[in-house]
Amino acid sequence: GAVVSQHPSRVICKSGTSVKIECRSLDFQATTMFWYRQFPKQSLMLMATSNEGSKATYEQGVEKDKFLINHASLTLSTLTVTSAHPEDSSFYICSARVPTSGYANTGELFFGEGSRLTVL
Amino acid sequence: AQSVTQLDSHVSVSEGTPVLLRCNYSSSYSPSLFWYVQHPNKGLQLLLKYTSAATLVKGINGFEAEFKKSETSFHLTKPSAHMSDAAEYFCVVSDLSGGSYIPTFGRGTSLIVHP
């Protein structure tokens, strides 16, 4: 199957700093990637859809100036949490669709390993 | 619009006994359905998927699920639970109701396996 790599797996930062999380598709080109946030013991909440070469589409209630998403290439999308505060502490997960006919017509997603952000 | 309901937030079984995790969905189109497993502080791994082929789908680690259109269900089963099966399980539905495949996640079911 397709491989999605997410980095860093864990990050601890001070309040007010910015943190960048990378999501890479290792063996395929991902025109679309998704960013999720997961609170403890809860399901995944879609934050935004990242499209290569264009602006991300944010879900209602997600601050686009707080969570900057850049999808500059077909294999890399980044999520930057700007001026992070303790309430931004969470588990962030990216996923990607494989745009080949075998996968694209089913909606199957491949997930990164997630990034645990702790803001002190 | 599509939706998915995982009927149990927690399921507790003894090792060696059968597992049943329930999932019901709503979709106006021919949906794709997935079960993913998540171990603590990890991403999601695909267990199995239904994409309009055979209604009984076999996945990894001995799991299987049956797509029942008349009941709008896609329950996940395993004949004999192992300790390593303890994890969070998500049922996901995806269809073209929004013009492209955007998945909708269930709330998750925590599987607890007792020795």
Side-chain angles (χ1 to χ4, degrees):
Chain A
V3 179
V4 175
S5 174
Q6 192 172 338
H7 178 82
S9 57
R10 292 179 179 271
V11 57
I12 301 172
C13 68
K14 293 182 179 179
S15 186
T17 61
S18 294
V19 174
K20 180 184 285 187
I21 300 170
E22 295 185 346
C23 181
R24 294 181 184 273
S25 57
L26 297 186
D27 50 1
F28 66 99
Q29 294 181 329
T31 53
T32 302
M33 290 185 173
F34 302 94
W35 286 96
Y36 297 86
R37 183 173 181 177
Q38 186 179 33
F39 293 101
K41 304 295 184 183
Q42 294 190 26
S43 188
L44 279 68
M45 180 192 78
L46 180 64
M47 299 175 65
T49 302
S50 170
N51 300 296
E52 187 270 336
S54 63
K55 291 183 178 181
T57 303
Y58 289 83
E59 295 299 302
Q60 192 172 11
V62 177
E63 299 176 62
K64 59 182 68 177
D65 294 330
K66 160 69 83 174
F67 299 101
L68 298 179
I69 290 172
N70 184 276
H71 196 154
S73 78
L74 286 170
T75 59
L76 175 64
S77 176
T78 60
L79 167 67
T80 301
V81 183
T82 62
S83 187
H85 288 92
E87 57 266 29
D88 298 324
S89 298
S90 194
F91 194 59
Y92 294 88
I93 306 175
C94 71
S95 70
R97 277 205 293 256
V98 180
T100 56
S101 61
Y103 293 104
N105 297 332
T106 66
E108 180 176 351
L109 295 175
F110 293 89
F111 288 84
E113 285 289 289
S115 299
R116 171 73 60 193
L117 171 63
T118 302
V119 185
L120 303 176
Chain B
Q2 61 190 19
S3 67
V4 59
T5 303
Q6 289 183 245
L7 296 151
D8 306 295
S9 60
H10 295 85
V11 169
S12 183
V13 301
S14 297
E15 190 175 22
T17 64
V19 175
L20 170 63
L21 305 183
R22 297 182 293 169
C23 173
N24 286 93
Y25 70 93
S26 173
S27 173
S28 301
Y29 294 77
S30 296
S32 296
L33 291 154
F34 308 86
W35 276 99
Y36 289 89
V37 60
Q38 183 184 32
H39 289 91
N41 293 309
K42 295 290 186 181
L44 277 68
Q45 180 186 17
L46 181 70
L47 277 178
L48 48 78
K49 61 183 177 183
Y50 166 79
T51 57
S52 76
T55 56
L56 181 61
V57 181
K58 294 186 183 297
I60 63 171
N61 301 334
F63 285 95
E64 62 181 42
E66 186 170 7
F67 174 72
K68 292 186 176 181
K69 187 175 181 178
S70 60
E71 298 177 11
T72 61
S73 70
F74 191 58
H75 301 333
L76 182 70
T77 60
K78 182 173 180 177
S80 176
H82 293 162
M83 296 297 292
S84 59
D85 294 327
E88 193 78 16
Y89 291 80
F90 293 97
C91 182
V92 179
V93 63
S94 186
D95 66 22
L96 285 171
S97 57
S100 63
Y101 282 102
I102 302 293
T104 298
F105 285 78
R107 64 175 178 169
T109 299
S110 180
L111 177 62
I112 302 161
V113 182
H114 298 286

